[in-house]
Coordinates of all heavy atoms in Angstrom, one line a residue:
M61 N 95.0 132.9 98.2 CA 96.0 131.9 98.0 C 96.5 132.0 96.6 O 95.7 132.1 95.6 CB 95.4 130.5 98.3 CG 96.4 129.4 98.2 SD 95.7 127.8 98.7 CE 95.7 128.0 100.4
S62 N 97.7 131.8 96.5 CA 98.4 131.9 95.1 C 98.0 130.6 94.3 O 97.9 129.5 94.8 CB 99.9 131.9 95.3 OG 100.5 131.9 94.1
V63 N 98.0 130.9 93.0 CA 97.7 129.8 92.1 C 98.8 128.8 92.0 O 98.6 127.6 91.8 CB 97.4 130.3 90.7 CG1 97.1 129.2 89.7 CG2 96.2 131.3 90.7
A64 N 100.0 129.2 92.3 CA 101.2 128.3 92.2 C 101.2 127.3 93.4 O 101.8 126.3 93.3 CB 102.5 129.1 92.2
R65 N 100.5 127.7 94.4 CA 100.5 126.8 95.6 C 99.4 125.7 95.5 O 99.5 124.7 96.3 CB 100.2 127.6 96.9 CG 101.4 128.5 97.2 CD 101.1 129.1 98.6 NE 102.2 130.1 98.9 CZ 102.2 130.9 99.9 NH1 101.1 130.8 100.7 NH2 103.1 131.7 100.1
R66 N 98.5 125.8 94.6 CA 97.4 124.8 94.5 C 97.9 123.4 94.1 O 97.5 122.4 94.8 CB 96.4 125.3 93.5 CG 95.5 126.4 94.0 CD 94.4 126.7 93.1 NE 93.7 127.9 93.6 CZ 92.9 128.6 92.9 NH1 92.7 128.4 91.6 NH2 92.3 129.7 93.4
P67 N 98.8 123.3 93.2 CA 99.3 121.9 92.9 C 100.1 121.3 94.1 O 100.1 120.1 94.3 CB 100.3 122.1 91.7 CG 99.8 123.4 91.0 CD 99.3 124.2 92.1
L68 N 100.8 122.2 94.8 CA 101.5 121.7 96.0 C 100.6 121.2 97.0 O 100.8 120.2 97.7 CB 102.4 122.9 96.5 CG 103.2 122.5 97.8 CD1 104.2 121.4 97.4 CD2 103.9 123.7 98.3
L69 N 99.5 121.9 97.3 CA 98.5 121.5 98.2 C 97.8 120.2 97.8 O 97.5 119.3 98.6 CB 97.5 122.6 98.5 CG 98.0 123.8 99.2 CD1 96.9 124.9 99.3 CD2 98.4 123.4 100.6
T70 N 97.5 120.1 96.5 CA 96.9 118.9 96.0 C 97.8 117.7 96.1 O 97.4 116.6 96.6 CB 96.5 119.1 94.5 OG1 95.7 120.2 94.4 CG2 95.8 117.8 93.9
A71 N 99.1 117.9 95.8 CA 100.1 116.8 96.0 C 100.3 116.4 97.4 O 100.4 115.2 97.8 CB 101.4 117.2 95.4
T72 N 100.2 117.4 98.3 CA 100.4 117.1 99.8 C 99.1 116.3 100.3 O 99.3 115.4 101.0 CB 100.5 118.4 100.5 OG1 101.6 119.1 100.0 CG2 100.7 118.1 102.0
A73 N 98.0 116.7 99.8 CA 96.8 116.0 100.2 C 96.7 114.6 99.7 O 96.4 113.6 100.4 CB 95.5 116.8 99.8
A74 N 97.2 114.4 98.5 CA 97.2 113.1 97.9 C 98.2 112.2 98.6 O 98.0 111.0 98.9 CB 97.5 113.1 96.4
G75 N 99.4 112.7 98.9 CA 100.4 112.0 99.6 C 100.0 111.6 101.0 O 100.2 110.5 101.5
T76 N 99.3 112.5 101.7 CA 98.8 112.2 103.0 C 97.8 111.1 103.0 O 97.8 110.2 103.8 CB 98.2 113.5 103.6 OG1 99.1 114.5 103.6 CG2 97.7 113.3 105.0
L77 N 96.9 111.2 102.0 CA 95.9 110.1 101.9 C 96.5 108.7 101.6 O 96.2 107.7 102.2 CB 94.9 110.5 100.7 CG 93.8 109.4 100.5 CD1 92.9 109.3 101.7 CD2 93.0 109.8 99.3
L78 N 97.5 108.7 100.7 CA 98.2 107.5 100.4 C 98.9 106.9 101.7 O 98.9 105.7 101.9 CB 99.2 107.7 99.3 CG 98.5 107.8 97.9 CD1 99.6 108.1 96.8 CD2 97.8 106.5 97.5
C79 N 99.6 107.8 102.4 CA 100.2 107.4 103.6 C 99.2 106.8 104.7 O 99.5 105.8 105.3 CB 101.0 108.5 104.3 SG 102.5 108.9 103.3
A80 N 98.1 107.4 104.8 CA 97.1 107.0 105.7 C 96.5 105.6 105.2 O 96.3 104.7 106.1 CB 95.9 108.0 105.8
L81 N 96.3 105.4 104.0 CA 95.8 104.1 103.5 C 96.9 103.0 103.6 O 96.5 101.8 103.6 CB 95.4 104.3 102.0 CG 94.1 105.1 101.8 CD1 93.8 105.2 100.3 CD2 93.0 104.4 102.5
W82 N 98.1 103.4 103.7 CA 99.2 102.4 103.8 C 99.0 101.6 105.1 O 99.3 100.4 105.2 CB 100.6 103.1 103.8 CG 101.7 102.1 104.0 CD1 102.3 101.7 105.1 CD2 102.4 101.5 102.9 NE1 103.3 100.9 104.8 CE2 103.4 100.7 103.5 CE3 102.3 101.5 101.5 CZ2 104.3 100.0 102.7 CZ3 103.2 100.8 100.8 CH2 104.1 100.0 101.4
F83 N 98.5 102.3 106.2 CA 98.3 101.6 107.5 C 97.0 100.9 107.7 O 96.8 100.4 108.8 CB 98.5 102.7 108.6 CG 100.0 103.2 108.6 CD1 100.3 104.5 108.1 CD2 101.0 102.4 109.1 CE1 101.6 104.9 108.1 CE2 102.3 102.9 109.1 CZ 102.6 104.1 108.6
V84 N 96.2 100.9 106.7 CA 94.9 100.2 106.8 C 95.2 98.7 106.8 O 95.9 98.2 105.9 CB 93.9 100.5 105.7 CG1 92.7 99.7 105.7 CG2 93.6 102.0 105.7
P85 N 94.8 97.9 107.8 CA 95.1 96.5 107.8 C 94.4 95.7 106.7 O 93.3 96.1 106.3 CB 94.7 96.1 109.2 CG 93.6 97.0 109.6 CD 94.0 98.3 108.9
S86 N 95.1 94.7 106.3 CA 94.4 93.8 105.3 C 93.7 92.7 106.0 O 94.0 92.3 107.2 CB 95.5 93.2 104.4 OG 96.4 92.4 105.1
A87 N 92.7 92.1 105.4 CA 91.9 91.1 106.0 C 92.3 89.7 105.5 O 91.6 89.1 104.8 CB 90.4 91.4 105.7
N88 N 93.5 89.3 105.9 CA 94.0 88.0 105.6 C 93.4 86.9 106.6 O 93.5 87.1 107.8 CB 95.5 87.9 105.6 CG 96.1 88.8 104.5 OD1 95.5 89.0 103.5 ND2 97.3 89.3 104.8
A89 N 92.9 85.9 106.1 CA 92.3 84.8 106.9 C 93.4 83.8 107.2 O 93.6 82.9 106.4 CB 91.1 84.2 106.3
T90 N 94.1 84.0 108.2 CA 95.2 83.0 108.6 C 94.9 82.4 109.9 O 94.2 83.0 110.8 CB 96.6 83.7 108.6 OG1 96.5 84.8 109.6 CG2 96.9 84.3 107.3
I91 N 95.5 81.3 110.2 CA 95.4 80.6 111.5 C 96.5 80.9 112.4 O 97.7 80.9 112.0 CB 95.3 79.1 111.2 CG1 94.1 78.7 110.4 CG2 95.3 78.3 112.6 CD1 94.0 77.3 110.1
D92 N 96.2 81.3 113.6 CA 97.2 81.6 114.6 C 97.7 80.3 115.2 O 97.0 79.7 115.9 CB 96.7 82.6 115.6 CG 97.7 83.0 116.6 OD1 98.9 82.8 116.4 OD2 97.3 83.6 117.7
R93 N 98.9 79.9 114.9 CA 99.4 78.6 115.3 C 99.5 78.5 116.8 O 99.3 77.4 117.4 CB 100.8 78.3 114.6 CG 100.7 78.2 113.1 CD 100.0 77.0 112.7 NE 99.9 77.0 111.2 CZ 99.1 76.3 110.5 NH1 98.2 75.6 111.1 NH2 99.1 76.4 109.2
E94 N 99.9 79.6 117.5 CA 100.0 79.5 118.9 C 98.7 79.3 119.6 O 98.6 78.6 120.6 CB 100.7 80.8 119.4 CG 102.1 81.0 119.0 CD 102.7 82.3 119.5 OE1 102.0 83.0 120.2 OE2 103.8 82.6 119.0
A95 N 97.6 79.9 119.0 CA 96.3 79.8 119.6 C 95.8 78.3 119.4 O 95.2 77.8 120.3 CB 95.3 80.7 118.9
V96 N 96.2 77.7 118.3 CA 95.8 76.3 118.1 C 96.5 75.4 119.1 O 95.9 74.5 119.7 CB 96.1 75.9 116.7 CG1 95.9 74.4 116.5 CG2 95.3 76.6 115.7
Q97 N 97.8 75.7 119.4 CA 98.6 74.8 120.3 C 98.0 75.0 121.7 O 97.9 74.1 122.5 CB 100.0 75.2 120.3 CG 100.7 74.8 119.0 CD 102.1 75.3 118.9 OE1 102.6 76.0 119.7 NE2 102.8 74.8 117.9
R98 N 97.7 76.3 122.1 CA 97.1 76.5 123.4 C 95.8 75.8 123.6 O 95.4 75.3 124.6 CB 97.0 78.0 123.7 CG 98.2 78.6 124.2 CD 98.0 80.1 124.6 NE 98.5 80.9 123.5 CZ 97.9 81.9 122.9 NH1 96.7 82.2 123.3 NH2 98.5 82.5 121.9
Q99 N 95.0 75.8 122.5 CA 93.7 75.2 122.6 C 93.8 73.7 122.8 O 93.1 73.1 123.5 CB 92.9 75.5 121.3 CG 91.5 74.8 121.3 CD 90.8 75.0 119.9 OE1 91.4 75.4 119.0 NE2 89.5 74.7 119.9
H100 N 94.7 73.0 122.1 CA 94.9 71.6 122.1 C 95.6 71.1 123.4 O 95.5 70.0 123.8 CB 95.6 71.1 120.9 CG 94.7 71.1 119.7 ND1 93.5 70.4 119.6 CD2 94.8 71.8 118.5 CE1 92.9 70.6 118.4 NE2 93.7 71.5 117.8
S101 N 96.4 72.0 124.0 CA 97.1 71.6 125.2 C 96.3 71.8 126.5 O 96.7 71.4 127.5 CB 98.4 72.4 125.3 OG 98.1 73.8 125.5
G102 N 95.1 72.4 126.4 CA 94.3 72.6 127.5 C 93.7 71.3 128.0 O 93.7 70.3 127.4
A103 N 93.1 71.4 129.2 CA 92.5 70.2 129.8 C 91.3 69.7 129.0 O 91.0 68.5 129.0 CB 92.1 70.4 131.3
A104 N 90.5 70.7 128.5 CA 89.3 70.3 127.8 C 89.5 70.5 126.3 O 88.6 71.0 125.6 CB 88.1 71.2 128.3
A105 N 90.6 70.0 125.8 CA 90.9 70.1 124.4 C 89.9 69.2 123.6 O 89.8 68.0 123.9 CB 92.3 69.7 124.1
S106 N 89.3 69.7 122.6 CA 88.3 68.9 121.8 C 89.0 68.3 120.6 O 90.1 68.7 120.3 CB 87.1 69.8 121.4 OG 87.6 70.8 120.5
S107 N 88.3 67.4 120.0 CA 88.9 66.8 118.8 C 88.6 67.6 117.6 O 89.0 67.2 116.5 CB 88.3 65.3 118.7 OG 86.9 65.4 118.5
Q108 N 87.9 68.6 117.7 CA 87.6 69.4 116.5 C 88.7 70.3 116.1 O 89.5 70.8 116.9 CB 86.4 70.3 116.8 CG 85.1 69.6 117.0 CD 83.9 70.5 117.2 OE1 84.1 71.7 117.3 NE2 82.7 70.0 117.3
E109 N 88.9 70.5 114.8 CA 89.9 71.3 114.3 C 89.5 72.8 114.3 O 88.3 73.1 114.2 CB 90.2 70.9 112.9 CG 91.4 71.4 112.2 CD 91.6 70.8 110.8 OE1 91.5 69.6 110.7 OE2 91.8 71.6 109.9
L110 N 90.5 73.7 114.5 CA 90.1 75.1 114.4 C 89.8 75.5 113.0 O 90.6 75.3 112.1 CB 91.3 76.0 114.9 CG 91.1 77.5 114.9 CD1 90.1 77.8 115.9 CD2 92.4 78.2 115.2
R111 N 88.6 76.0 112.8 CA 88.1 76.4 111.5 C 87.7 77.8 111.4 O 87.2 78.3 112.4 CB 87.0 75.5 111.0 CG 87.4 74.0 110.9 CD 86.3 73.1 110.6 NE 85.2 73.6 109.9 CZ 84.0 73.0 109.8 NH1 83.9 71.8 110.2 NH2 83.0 73.5 109.1
L112 N 87.8 78.4 110.3 CA 87.4 79.8 110.1 C 85.9 79.9 109.9 O 85.3 78.9 109.4 CB 88.1 80.5 109.0 CG 89.6 80.6 109.1 CD1 90.2 81.1 107.8 CD2 90.0 81.5 110.2
A113 N 85.3 80.9 110.3 CA 83.8 81.1 110.2 C 83.4 81.2 108.8 O 84.0 81.9 108.0 CB 83.3 82.3 111.0
D114 N 82.3 80.5 108.5 CA 81.7 80.6 107.1 C 80.7 81.7 107.1 O 79.7 81.6 107.8 CB 81.1 79.3 106.7 CG 80.5 79.3 105.3 OD1 80.9 80.2 104.6 OD2 79.7 78.5 105.0
T115 N 81.0 82.8 106.5 CA 80.2 84.0 106.6 C 79.2 84.1 105.4 O 78.5 85.1 105.3 CB 81.0 85.3 106.6 OG1 81.9 85.3 105.5 CG2 81.8 85.3 107.9
G116 N 79.3 83.2 104.5 CA 78.4 83.2 103.3 C 79.0 84.0 102.2 O 80.2 84.2 102.1
T117 N 78.2 84.5 101.3 CA 78.7 85.2 100.1 C 79.0 86.6 100.5 O 78.5 87.2 101.5 CB 77.6 85.2 99.0 OG1 76.5 85.8 99.5 CG2 77.3 83.8 98.6
V118 N 79.7 87.3 99.7 CA 80.1 88.7 99.9 C 79.0 89.6 99.4 O 78.6 89.4 98.2 CB 81.4 89.0 99.2 CG1 81.8 90.5 99.4 CG2 82.5 88.1 99.7
D119 N 78.5 90.5 100.2 CA 77.5 91.4 99.8 C 78.1 92.6 99.2 O 78.8 93.4 99.9 CB 76.6 91.8 101.0 CG 75.5 92.7 100.7 OD1 75.1 92.8 99.5 OD2 75.0 93.4 101.6
T120 N 78.0 92.8 97.9 CA 78.7 93.9 97.2 C 77.8 95.2 97.1 O 78.3 96.1 96.6 CB 79.1 93.4 95.8 OG1 77.9 93.0 95.1 CG2 80.1 92.3 95.9
T121 N 76.6 95.1 97.6 CA 75.7 96.3 97.5 C 76.4 97.6 98.1 O 76.3 98.6 97.4 CB 74.4 96.0 98.2 OG1 73.8 94.8 97.6 CG2 73.4 97.2 98.0
P122 N 76.9 97.6 99.3 CA 77.5 98.8 99.8 C 78.7 99.3 98.9 O 78.8 100.6 98.8 CB 78.1 98.4 101.2 CG 77.4 97.2 101.6 CD 77.0 96.5 100.3
Y123 N 79.4 98.4 98.3 CA 80.5 98.9 97.5 C 80.0 99.5 96.2 O 80.6 100.5 95.7 CB 81.4 97.7 97.1 CG 82.0 97.1 98.4 CD1 81.6 95.8 98.8 CD2 83.1 97.7 99.1 CE1 82.1 95.3 100.0 CE2 83.6 97.1 100.2 CZ 83.2 95.9 100.6 OH 83.7 95.3 101.7
L124 N 78.9 98.9 95.6 CA 78.4 99.5 94.4 C 77.7 100.9 94.7 O 77.9 101.8 93.9 CB 77.3 98.6 93.8 CG 77.8 97.3 93.3 CD1 76.7 96.3 92.9 CD2 78.7 97.5 92.1
V125 N 77.0 101.0 95.8 CA 76.4 102.3 96.2 C 77.4 103.3 96.4 O 77.4 104.5 96.0 CB 75.4 102.1 97.4 CG1 74.9 103.4 97.9 CG2 74.3 101.2 97.0
G126 N 78.5 103.0 97.2 CA 79.5 103.9 97.6 C 80.3 104.3 96.3 O 80.6 105.5 96.1
G127 N 80.6 103.4 95.5 CA 81.4 103.7 94.2 C 80.6 104.6 93.3 O 81.1 105.5 92.7
T128 N 79.3 104.3 93.2 CA 78.5 105.2 92.4 C 78.4 106.6 92.9 O 78.4 107.6 92.2 CB 77.1 104.5 92.2 OG1 77.2 103.2 91.7 CG2 76.2 105.3 91.3
A129 N 78.3 106.7 94.3 CA 78.2 108.0 94.9 C 79.5 108.8 94.7 O 79.4 109.9 94.3 CB 77.9 107.8 96.4
F130 N 80.6 108.1 94.9 CA 81.9 108.8 94.7 C 82.1 109.2 93.2 O 82.7 110.2 92.9 CB 83.1 108.0 95.2 CG 83.2 108.1 96.7 CD1 83.0 107.0 97.5 CD2 83.6 109.3 97.2 CE1 83.2 107.1 98.8 CE2 83.8 109.4 98.6 CZ 83.6 108.3 99.4
L131 N 81.6 108.3 92.3 CA 81.7 108.7 90.9 C 80.9 109.9 90.6 O 81.3 110.8 89.8 CB 81.3 107.5 90.0 CG 81.4 107.6 88.5 CD1 82.9 107.8 88.1 CD2 80.8 106.4 87.8
G132 N 79.7 109.9 91.1 CA 78.8 111.1 90.9 C 79.4 112.4 91.4 O 79.3 113.4 90.8
I133 N 80.0 112.3 92.6 CA 80.6 113.4 93.2 C 81.8 113.9 92.4 O 82.0 115.1 92.2 CB 81.1 113.1 94.7 CG1 79.9 112.9 95.6 CG2 82.0 114.2 95.2 CD1 80.2 112.4 96.9
G134 N 82.6 113.0 91.9 CA 83.7 113.3 91.0 C 83.3 114.0 89.7 O 83.9 115.0 89.3
V135 N 82.2 113.5 89.1 CA 81.7 114.1 87.9 C 81.2 115.5 88.2 O 81.4 116.4 87.4 CB 80.5 113.2 87.3 CG1 79.8 114.0 86.3 CG2 81.1 111.9 86.7
G136 N 80.5 115.6 89.4 CA 80.1 117.0 89.8 C 81.2 118.0 89.9 O 81.1 119.1 89.5
F137 N 82.3 117.5 90.6 CA 83.5 118.4 90.7 C 84.1 118.8 89.4 O 84.4 120.0 89.2 CB 84.5 117.8 91.6 CG 84.3 117.9 93.1 CD1 84.5 116.8 93.9 CD2 83.8 119.0 93.6 CE1 84.3 116.9 95.2 CE2 83.6 119.1 95.0 CZ 83.8 118.1 95.8
V138 N 84.2 117.8 88.5 CA 84.7 118.2 87.1 C 83.8 119.1 86.4 O 84.3 120.1 85.8 CB 85.0 116.9 86.3 CG1 85.3 117.2 84.9 CG2 86.1 116.0 87.0
A139 N 82.5 118.9 86.4 CA 81.6 119.8 85.7 C 81.6 121.2 86.3 O 81.6 122.2 85.6 CB 80.2 119.2 85.8
Y140 N 81.7 121.2 87.6 CA 81.8 122.6 88.3 C 83.1 123.3 87.9 O 83.0 124.5 87.6 CB 81.7 122.4 89.8 CG 81.9 123.7 90.6 CD1 80.9 124.6 90.6 CD2 83.1 123.9 91.3 CE1 81.1 125.8 91.3 CE2 83.3 125.1 92.0 CZ 82.2 126.0 92.0 OH 82.4 127.2 92.7
S141 N 84.2 122.6 87.9 CA 85.5 123.3 87.6 C 85.5 123.7 86.1 O 86.0 124.7 85.8 CB 86.6 122.4 87.9 OG 86.7 121.2 87.1
V142 N 84.9 122.9 85.2 CA 84.9 123.2 83.8 C 84.0 124.4 83.6 O 84.3 125.4 82.9 CB 84.5 122.0 82.9 CG1 84.1 122.5 81.5 CG2 85.5 121.0 82.9
R143 N 82.9 124.4 84.3 CA 81.9 125.6 84.1 C 82.5 126.8 84.7 O 82.4 127.9 84.1 CB 80.6 125.3 84.9 CG 79.5 126.3 84.5 CD 78.4 126.0 85.4 NE 78.6 126.8 86.6 CZ 77.8 126.8 87.7 NH1 76.7 126.2 87.6 NH2 78.1 127.6 88.7
R144 N 83.3 126.7 85.8 CA 83.8 127.9 86.4 C 85.0 128.5 85.6 O 85.2 129.7 85.6 CB 84.3 127.5 87.8 CG 84.7 128.6 88.6 CD 84.9 128.3 90.1 NE 85.5 129.4 90.7 CZ 86.0 129.4 91.9 NH1 86.0 128.3 92.6 NH2 86.5 130.5 92.4
S145 N 85.8 127.6 85.0 CA 86.9 128.1 84.2 C 86.5 128.6 82.9 O 87.3 129.4 82.3 CB 88.0 126.9 84.0 OG 87.5 126.0 83.1
G146 N 85.4 128.2 82.4 CA 85.0 128.7 81.1 C 85.6 128.0 79.9 O 85.6 128.5 78.8
A147 N 86.2 126.8 80.2 CA 87.0 126.1 79.1 C 86.0 125.6 78.0 O 86.4 125.3 76.9 CB 87.7 125.0 79.7
W148 N 84.8 125.4 78.3 CA 83.8 124.8 77.4 C 83.4 125.9 76.3 O 82.8 125.6 75.3 CB 82.6 124.2 78.1 CG 81.9 125.2 78.9 CD1 82.1 125.6 80.2 CD2 80.7 125.9 78.5 NE1 81.2 126.5 80.6 CE2 80.3 126.7 79.6 CE3 80.0 126.0 77.3 CZ2 79.2 127.6 79.5 CZ3 78.9 126.8 77.3 CH2 78.5 127.6 78.4
Q149 N 83.6 127.2 76.6 CA 83.3 128.2 75.7 C 84.4 128.5 74.8 O 85.4 129.1 75.2 CB 82.9 129.5 76.4 CG 81.7 129.3 77.3 CD 81.4 130.5 78.2 OE1 82.2 131.5 78.2 NE2 80.3 130.5 78.9
M150 N 84.4 128.1 73.5 CA 85.5 128.4 72.6 C 85.1 129.3 71.5 O 84.2 129.6 71.1 CB 86.0 127.1 72.0 CG 86.6 126.2 73.0 SD 87.3 124.8 72.2 CE 88.1 124.0 73.5

């Protein structure tokens, strides 16, 4: 593969990743007004208000472990490329 094509492939891969992430849904906690109206118009409509579930605190452990792992992989790639290019030998 030609050296001139590497930046093009890198840019294509980055653009593809960004386009894929564009379609990841966000987790907005909103109330569906139509569902509330259907619930209250039913025969067994309760006097309770529609409330979102209380899930407790956010567990950040998976994010910390994943972030640390990706950071380590990135450092490994940089170290490998610097060692391979011989840029550290001046």
Side-chain angles (χ1 to χ4, degrees):
M61 181 175 286
S62 174
V63 176
R65 291 187 186 174
R66 286 184 187 166
L68 180 63
L69 290 175
T70 303
T72 302
T76 303
L77 180 64
L78 287 175
C79 287
L81 289 176
W82 181 270
F83 292 104
V84 174
S86 61
N88 295 330
T90 59
I91 297 175
D92 185 12
R93 299 291 180 199
E94 292 176 9
V96 173
Q97 290 174 353
R98 275 186 258 131
Q99 179 186 12
H100 288 297
S101 66
S106 65
S107 63
Q108 292 182 354
E109 193 176 310
L110 179 66
R111 295 173 29 188
L112 297 173
D114 183 18
T115 58
T117 61
V118 177
D119 183 20
T120 59
T121 304
Y123 300 105
L124 291 173
V125 171
T128 304
F130 279 112
L131 183 63
I133 291 169
V135 167
F137 279 139
V138 169
Y140 175 73
S141 66
V142 167
R143 191 188 86 180
R144 190 169 170 189
S145 70
W148 60 277
Q149 297 173 353
M150 291 189 177

